[in-house]
Amino acid sequence: MNLNSANNKTLENVAIIGNGGRENALAWAIQKNDAIQKVYLIPGNGGSSSINKCKTIDLDYSDTDTLLNKLSELEIDLVVIGSEIPLGMGLGNILRDRNFLVFGPNKDGAKLESSKSWAKSFMRDANIPTANFWRVTSIDDSTNIINSNKNPLVVKADGLASGKGVFIPETKEETAAITRDILKGRFGEAGKVVVLEEKINGPEISVFALCDGEKYILLPTAQDHKRVGEGDKGLNTGGMGAYSPTPLISNNELMEICKIIVEPTIKELKKRKINYKGVLYFGLMITDDGPKVIEYNCRFGDPECQTIMPLMDKEFVNLLYKCAMGTLKGDEKILKNNKCSGCVIATSKGYPLDYEIGFPIKINDTKSKDMQVFHSGTTLNNNGELLTNGGRVLSVVCQGNSFDEAFEKAYSTINDISFKGIFYRKDIGHQVRNIKKEINK
Ligand code: AMP
Ligand code: GLY
């Protein structure tokens, strides 16, 4: 079937670069479109090939010659780059140079995530609300700044650090010690520059805009749960669960966020001649002074993506395609229904610190249309047995007419899953349970 009457190309084969729950959720949403013949996950994980129309390709994307040859051989019509690492190293440029249609920004746009100091200057130039900040490269400079501030500052390594480069110290002494540590090489090149930031307060939400370089369309909002422990305590993780859409902001507040954050971001990108074709992920804090950007990411959130994908109708892949081609209208409808979605992540004991892998996983195979189990860190051994292979192992996602219903299903599903050392938070969605649903349409 021809999806793109604009230039008579057909969209049949899609490749997704990445190996997490996010990429499996994208593949699952993409394959729903009848025109899609095949979705290749490069390299994917232990659950990827059991998704309808999906196949894994065991290939290292950093070997770009082999990747390019494979994509040509498979007649790939669209490449979706899932993770910030290939985006930050410029895989988008390499693929576009060879005329592939790509969803995901080039290296210049990915800098919104790969350099926090660059992103902060970007926001300052565009007058986008964010916490005050100082960029430092020496211990002397940082000492002056830390001492001249009344409160301890938040400390961030400039570059990509797998979510581990942000610290929220309680005292100025701690602030100074962490800054010194980072500047002395704790995160290698990623810590050559440090961003010191004023600490701000408020609930955090994730806003996603699919962007074709000019126009954008919002996905449903979400709220992540970054801390490992119940009551939002303990170490930061990649995300222990999420729900969508979040009733923490009203429709009017979301429109205001578009006006003061989303649109100025796209305008500033254009001003800098950055043709951003991909998803803009705004990590926001809703403070007493209004919404402020905590961080930008240049890819979908994980586990927000797993949570949002089941809410999309089968036209979702066409939006990615339009972004890649620069033909988004900005008024496309994407919601399948207005259900609530909730996701709980099953992790390996010890995550986000040390954990063991290689344990057999038992999943009760009952299928339901409002329930998905996306694999995050899993692998298949030579006998085809499913084993744990990461800190975050499975993403259990359910939908319902209320968050209570969605999470009841999610917890009853996850209770039936077992592997040695399985751990999950029991309070995901605590912010929205036992309250009436209000959805930003
Ligand atoms: P990031 O990796 O930049 O998203 O930061 C990780 C977490 O640190 C965020 O989700 C926030 O909870 C917290 N954080 C980052 N920057 C600030 C800030 N300026 N004030 C308060 N908390 C922050
Ligand atoms: N869930 C947070 C992230 O993907 O960075």
Side-chain angles (χ1 to χ4, degrees), residues 22 113 206 224 226 237-239 281 295 297 299-304 392:
R22 167 182 52 206
E113 178 164 3
S206 308
D224 189 11
K226 288 206 197 264
T237 69
Y281 167 161
E295 62 164 352
N297 291 317
R299 36 80 195 175
F300 290 99
D302 183 332
E304 294 100 316
R392 293 191 292 174

Side-chain angles (χ1 to χ4, degrees), residues 116 156 166 168 197-200 204 226 294-295:
K116 289 192 188 289
K156 301 184 174 183
V166 175
I168 308 184
E197 232 176 78
E198 163 206 20
K199 185 175 173 195
I200 54 176
E204 288 178 54
K226 288 206 197 264
I294 285 278
E295 62 164 352

Side-chain angles (χ1 to χ4, degrees), residues 96 102 104-110 211-215 266 268-278 323-326:
R96 288 189 173 98
V102 181
N106 280 343
K107 193 171 181 172
D108 52 4
C211 181
D212 77 342
E214 292 272 342
K215 301 234 168 69
I266 296 171
E268 182 68 20
L269 284 165
K270 280 170 61 185
K271 190 171 147 206
R272 294 176 181 228
K273 308 238 175 315
I274 297 174
N275 191 3
Y276 195 104
K277 295 179 185 318
C323 287
M325 290 194 299

Side-chain angles (χ1 to χ4, degrees), residues 203-208 219-225 241-249 254 281-284 301 303-309 311 341 343 403 431-432 440:
E204 288 178 54
I205 63 162
S206 308
V207 171
F208 300 94
L219 293 184
T221 54
Q223 189 172 35
D224 189 11
H225 296 61
Y243 68 85
S244 173
T246 174
L248 293 187
I249 50 164
L254 190 58
Y281 167 161
F282 303 85
L284 305 180
E304 294 100 316
C305 185
Q306 294 93 302
T307 317
I308 293 170
M309 283 307 113
L311 302 176
S341 187
C343 167
F403 285 112
Q431 308 87 335
V432 289
N440 299 308

Side-chain angles (χ1 to χ4, degrees), residues 207-361:
V207 171
F208 300 94
L210 303 180
C211 181
D212 77 342
E214 292 272 342
K215 301 234 168 69
Y216 72 95
I217 176 166
L218 287 187
L219 293 184
T221 54
Q223 189 172 35
D224 189 11
H225 296 61
K226 288 206 197 264
R227 303 297 192 94
V228 71
E230 274 141 40
D232 297 313
K233 303 245 158 53
L235 294 173
N236 259 324
T237 69
M240 297 294 289
Y243 68 85
S244 173
T246 174
L248 293 187
I249 50 164
S250 68
N251 211 12
N252 282 345
E253 285 164 326
L254 190 58
M255 279 162 64
E256 179 69 7
I257 287 169
C258 288
K259 213 170 94 203
I260 65 172
I261 294 174
V262 178
E263 286 159 22
T265 298
I266 296 171
K267 196 166 160 210
E268 182 68 20
L269 284 165
K270 280 170 61 185
K271 190 171 147 206
R272 294 176 181 228
K273 308 238 175 315
I274 297 174
N275 191 3
Y276 195 104
K277 295 179 185 318
V279 60
L280 279 163
Y281 167 161
F282 303 85
L284 305 180
M285 199 171 253
I286 311 301
T287 73
D288 289 343
D289 297 331
K292 294 192 177 180
V293 179
I294 285 278
E295 62 164 352
Y296 285 116
N297 291 317
C298 61
R299 36 80 195 175
F300 290 99
D302 183 332
E304 294 100 316
C305 185
Q306 294 93 302
T307 317
I308 293 170
M309 283 307 113
L311 302 176
M312 299 289 100
D313 76 13
K314 60 184 171 42
E315 289 305 305
F316 173 71
V317 66
N318 282 335
L319 290 179
L320 304 185
Y321 197 44
K322 284 183 178 182
C323 287
M325 290 194 299
T327 56
L328 203 62
K329 286 204 176 73
D331 61 357
E332 288 87 348
K333 298 277 172 282
I334 46 165
L335 280 189
K336 183 175 72 174
N337 53 44
N338 66 355
K339 283 197 171 164
C340 300
S341 187
C343 167
V344 183
I345 300 282
T347 66
S348 300
K349 184 177 158 206
Y351 174 78
L353 300 175
D354 293 341
Y355 53 83
E356 286 180 59
I357 56 171
F359 299 120
I361 305 172

